[in-house]
Amino acid sequence: MGARRVTYAAAGVDLARARRVKARIRALARRTFNRAVLADIGSFGALYALDRKRWREPVLVASVDGVGTKLKVAALMNRHDSVGADLVNHCINDIAVQGARPLFFLDYIGAGKLNPAVLAEVVGGLSRACRAAGVALIGGETAEMPGFYAPGEYDLVGCIVGVVERKRLLDGSRVRAGDILLGLASTGLHTNGYSLARKLFFEVAGLTPRSYVPELRNRLGEELLRVHRCYYPALRPLLARGWLSAAAHITGGGLTENIPRVLPRGLAAEIQLGSWRPLPVFRLLERLGRIPREEMLRTFNLGIGMVLVVPPRNLRRVEASLRWKRERFWHVGQIVRQRGAPRVIYRGD
């Protein structure tokens, strides 16, 4: 066999294009930098200096997550400016419920072939969400892997690191029977349940992302791309004052599986169904799939994206703070004693 010259570009990876893409990413990331960031984008490792004068017993809190199959909807809509914010906000919420202040964020974007325009939209969303929360976007990875992803598809994952004083850490140990449960409103599906939602809307109902759905008063794609809310602005003053016993981010697993994650053994969350009205998108999904109520509660957030566990003595102050932040919330239940592992008990209909 005669030897022939084969380059990396011939195998599907264009290094020159990758360098141009990374230059655009660097410019977007720099907009989020602050004095704690010690290295530019492109170093082998990101560097962030923790202010030792501010923290006595700092505990670092980290979380990794992705956007999931919501990316499929973004691809169908050819709109990629919101999924970056979805990712950042989701990750911020995950560490905020442990009392942490978010510090910095790193992302991973993998594709069969990097599309500079799409990448700019995605990273633009990451940058805007980071700036809004005072988080530094200090590093990440872009991977071009021909043959690994279908044409036009990409994956998006992020890692966030925050910090909390040890004495302010929310680990569930403060929760007591009689604590009140407040549910904070979601904007929609956030970033969970999209595999089931896509099957019901696109396959069962035969709709497209451009379909106008009267019940939603919106085009389906626009409804499904509503941005995952960031609850940190509402939580920050409550965390600073130590007014919460715990908090639960309602993501995959819904109310049923997420609230028990912050409860100690011997306690349960008693949720009063009917104390809030699920958003129209959830009622439509339930009807299209004839989904049992238990499955809905285990799959979707049903209009509640965050649950706060509040000691009765702090309830008025927490309510006042939430109203000041113009936060929509409901009294959805209370903590009760029970034997065994933590769980959710549903009452009413």
Side-chain angles (χ1 to χ4, degrees):
M1 294 176 58
R4 64 188 182 93
R5 183 176 297 172
V6 179
T7 65
Y8 210 0
V13 179
D14 187 333
L15 293 178
R17 184 178 68 246
R19 283 193 293 271
R20 292 193 297 272
V21 167
K22 289 177 181 178
R24 298 180 71 174
I25 291 175
R26 184 179 293 111
L28 290 167
R30 281 174 174 166
R31 297 177 186 177
T32 70
F33 283 10
N34 53 46
R35 288 184 297 177
V37 180
L38 303 183
D40 198 1
I41 297 294
S43 300
F44 283 103
L47 302 177
Y48 190 95
L50 195 63
D51 186 351
R52 291 182 297 173
K53 295 180 180 179
R54 178 170 183 175
W55 306 97
R56 295 185 177 182
E57 290 188 279
V59 175
L60 296 180
V61 184
S63 180
V64 175
D65 220 310
V67 180
T69 61
K70 189 173 186 176
L71 294 173
K72 292 273 193 181
V73 181
L76 288 170
M77 292 286 288
N78 193 28
R79 177 182 157 189
H80 308 274
D81 59 337
S82 62
V83 292
D86 284 321
L87 180 61
V88 172
N89 293 346
H90 185 137
C91 290
I92 288 175
N93 294 338
D94 277 351
I95 65 169
V97 298
Q98 294 175 280
R101 172 196 168 194
L103 297 176
F104 60 85
F105 190 85
L106 301 97
D107 66 271
Y108 165 84
I109 304 172
K113 183 177 181 180
L114 294 172
N115 183 322
V118 170
L119 204 57
E121 282 192 61
V122 173
V123 178
L126 292 170
S127 176
R128 287 191 296 274
C130 283
R131 289 203 311 274
V135 176
L137 177 59
I138 63 174
E141 170 70 0
T142 55
E144 192 168 55
M145 297 183 286
F148 194 81
Y149 295 95
E153 291 190 350
Y154 61 91
D155 197 12
L156 178 62
V157 180
C159 172
I160 194 164
V161 175
V163 63
V164 58
E165 287 285 4
R166 186 182 292 272
K167 67 179 182 179
R168 294 288 190 186
L169 183 64
L170 291 185
D171 58 4
S173 61
R174 303 179 192 177
V175 180
R176 301 289 183 269
D179 283 354
I180 308 301
L181 301 176
L182 300 182
L184 308 189
S186 71
T187 52
L189 274 68
H190 282 182
T191 50
N192 295 100
Y194 275 83
S195 294
L196 178 55
R198 288 186 304 109
K199 184 175 183 63
L200 291 176
F201 284 135
F202 301 148
E203 296 182 28
V204 174
L207 300 172
T208 73
R210 306 291 178 183
S211 298
Y212 181 82
V213 183
E215 291 172 79
L216 305 178
R217 298 181 180 179
N218 202 356
R219 296 189 185 280
L220 180 58
E222 296 293 331
E223 182 69 29
L224 294 179
L225 287 184
R226 288 187 185 275
V227 174
H228 192 136
R229 283 197 57 201
C230 179
Y231 292 96
Y232 185 63
L235 265 62
R236 186 172 184 175
L238 310 179
L239 297 172
R241 293 169 175 82
W243 288 347
L244 301 179
S245 297
H249 185 200
I250 309 305
T251 58
L255 294 164
T256 301
E257 295 185 3
N258 283 290
I259 299 177
R261 295 168 67 179
V262 302
L263 303 182
R265 189 174 180 83
L267 295 178
E270 187 177 79
I271 298 290
Q272 184 66 42
L273 296 175
S275 57
W276 81 99
R277 186 173 177 81
L279 294 168
V281 66
F282 298 113
R283 297 199 296 270
L284 180 55
L285 284 166
E286 186 175 18
R287 191 180 77 247
L288 285 174
R290 300 178 184 177
I291 305 173
R293 178 59 59 85
E294 296 78 14
E295 180 80 1
M296 291 293 296
L297 289 163
R298 193 180 296 275
T299 305
F300 301 108
N301 67 60
L302 295 186
I304 293 178
M306 179 74 66
V307 172
L308 308 182
V309 185
V310 185
R313 67 181 181 277
N314 294 334
L315 183 60
R316 285 192 177 184
R317 290 181 288 191
V318 169
E319 290 176 329
S321 179
L322 293 175
R323 292 190 183 102
W324 177 258
K325 292 289 185 177
R326 297 183 178 179
E327 188 70 43
R328 191 180 181 195
F329 65 92
W330 303 271
H331 286 241
V332 298
Q334 63 181 335
I335 300 298
V336 297
R337 292 188 179 88
Q338 57 106 50
R339 292 183 178 179
R343 64 190 179 102
V344 174
I345 302 168
Y346 293 105
R347 305 293 188 194
D349 187 13

